[in-house]
Amino acid sequence: MEDKGRESDHLMLITPERVFYAGLLGRPRKRTPGCCHIYVAVKGSLHLTIDDVHTSDELIVTLPNQRHSIASDYRTAISVTLEPESMPDGVIEALAERLRGPDKALYARKILAAYALLRQRRYGDITTAEFDEMCFGEALARRELDPRVTRAVARIERFSGEPVTADTCAAEAGLSASRFLHLFKEETGISFRSFRAWKRARHLLHFANQDLNLAHLAQDIGYPDSTHFSHSIRRFYGLKPRAIFVGSRDLAIYRSTETVRLAEAS
DNA sequence: CCCATCGACCCATGAACACT
DNA sequence: AGTGTTCATGGGTCGATGGG
């Protein structure tokens, strides 16, 4: 575009439990991400559609696994995401209420300020508490998972390429497969299968600004084949994988050291 | 090469019940 | 309370095909 040559102000900070994204939204169709989204307009308005009902606002919150589509007037928009298993039941819903309430404009300004801060200081090292403080003015409550489930979560998030099945996780936890699956659902609030599928799709974000062969990438992050990869990405993000990569060319990606440590552990 | 569509298969899911 | 069965079912998984 006419912006060529200008230093891009598109950035993404990824931590295991949060993402701060400022960049293109594209023209996503219906998406059903596994995380809570807080969209904030940089200029103009955002436009949300849920079940054919349209709303427009400067700040929009969607809950985990809520099917929606989103569009922005201005080319750059902000999206802050929260992984639901990182916090106790009800915390996301309560936060959503507050963000939509009378202090909405305050929260929008707070998040815009966070964007300004991230543009100057390329934070790599940020904890979830610091992230929350920066975006919402307070650390959100944390969920303590059963250690057996934590181990399974860590295994899923290693993305070593080898398949992670309920059976292997159950064996590692010293439980039967069925008991393990129950425990996992109880603890995280989401089924093992759905959780794994979402984390897999989320892991794509780390590579969004690279020029990669999609079939190979699909393999590397644990998809059995590129067909399934494409299908799954579209369901979660509302965009074809190629569209995500094209739209992320100028995106600067930062990972928390915690994320890097997890990746290197594999 | 890259990606979408379509079936068929099979495994995770959730409910109901049993054991300790 | 926590853990393990069984079982019908739906949806995730995976290969084949075809178009761009």
Side-chain angles (χ1 to χ4, degrees):
Chain A
M1 285 221 160
E2 64 275 358
D3 300 302
K4 251 214 315 234
R6 181 169 60 80
E7 176 73 6
S8 172
D9 49 10
H10 290 177
L11 61 87
M12 177 160 60
L13 172 64
I14 308 173
T15 85
E17 300 173 343
R18 306 285 187 265
V19 174
F20 192 106
Y21 174 78
L24 305 172
L25 291 182
R27 299 179 180 278
R29 304 169 59 94
K30 292 288 178 191
R31 49 161 62 173
T32 313
C35 61
C36 167
H37 268 276
I38 299 150
Y39 299 104
V40 179
V42 171
K43 263 187 212 169
S45 272
L46 299 172
H47 308 286
L48 174 77
T49 307
I50 296 178
D51 294 337
D52 293 327
V53 179
H54 309 275
T55 50
S56 296
D57 213 322
E58 60 175 329
L59 186 153
I60 286 171
V61 185
T62 63
L63 297 175
N65 304 305
Q66 182 169 43
R67 194 169 136 90
H68 67 276
S69 63
I70 187 81
S72 168
D73 291 339
Y74 186 59
R75 58 192 296 276
T76 303
I78 295 175
S79 151
V80 176
T81 70
L82 318 173
E83 299 300 304
E85 80 283 1
S86 70
M87 42 226 295
D89 289 336
V91 171
I92 286 184
E93 289 76 4
L95 177 68
E97 282 308 304
R98 265 186 294 145
L99 293 176
R100 291 166 179 151
D103 290 336
K104 178 163 63 190
L106 249 62
Y107 281 112
R109 248 177 285 150
K110 180 84 180 157
I111 290 170
L112 284 168
Y115 176 36
L117 192 66
L118 287 174
R119 267 191 293 180
Q120 321 164 359
R121 295 178 54 190
R122 308 298 197 182
Y123 270 96
D125 197 12
I126 188 167
T127 64
T128 297
E130 288 164 350
F131 185 103
D132 294 346
E133 182 71 37
M134 176 177 75
C135 292
F136 314 118
E138 63 176 309
L140 302 173
R142 297 185 63 90
R143 184 197 295 251
E144 287 300 326
L145 292 173
D146 183 298
R148 291 166 297 185
V149 174
T150 304
R151 285 237 295 285
V153 169
R155 183 180 272 270
I156 289 171
E157 293 184 340
R158 218 171 289 148
F159 301 105
S160 56
E162 90 223 27
V164 180
T165 64
D167 278 341
T168 57
C169 289
E172 191 181 38
L175 293 172
S176 72
S178 61
R179 178 57 202 153
F180 167 75
L181 290 167
H182 282 132
L183 184 68
F184 191 94
K185 176 76 186 270
E186 277 169 35
E187 289 286 312
T188 63
I190 187 168
S191 71
F192 177 79
R193 205 169 185 163
S194 306
F195 182 91
R196 186 183 57 188
W198 163 244
K199 292 301 182 187
R200 222 180 245 170
R202 185 182 190 271
H203 195 59
L204 169 74
L205 297 179
H206 290 280
F207 309 99
N209 62 356
Q210 297 178 31
D211 191 16
L212 295 171
N213 177 315
L214 293 188
H216 291 167
L217 176 63
Q219 289 265 314
D220 290 345
I221 61 181
Y223 285 96
D225 62 28
S226 60
T227 302
H228 183 226
F229 169 68
S230 171
H231 183 73
S232 181
I233 295 301
R234 281 201 322 144
R235 183 161 56 86
F236 287 121
Y237 293 113
L239 293 165
K240 297 172 191 173
R242 185 47 66 192
I244 293 179
F245 282 84
V246 168
S248 303
R249 285 268 160 71
D250 296 326
L251 184 66
I253 298 181
Y254 305 97
R255 310 170 176 201
S256 71
T257 49
E258 198 179 350
T259 309
V260 174
R261 191 171 47 69
L262 278 174
E264 283 170 354
S266 56

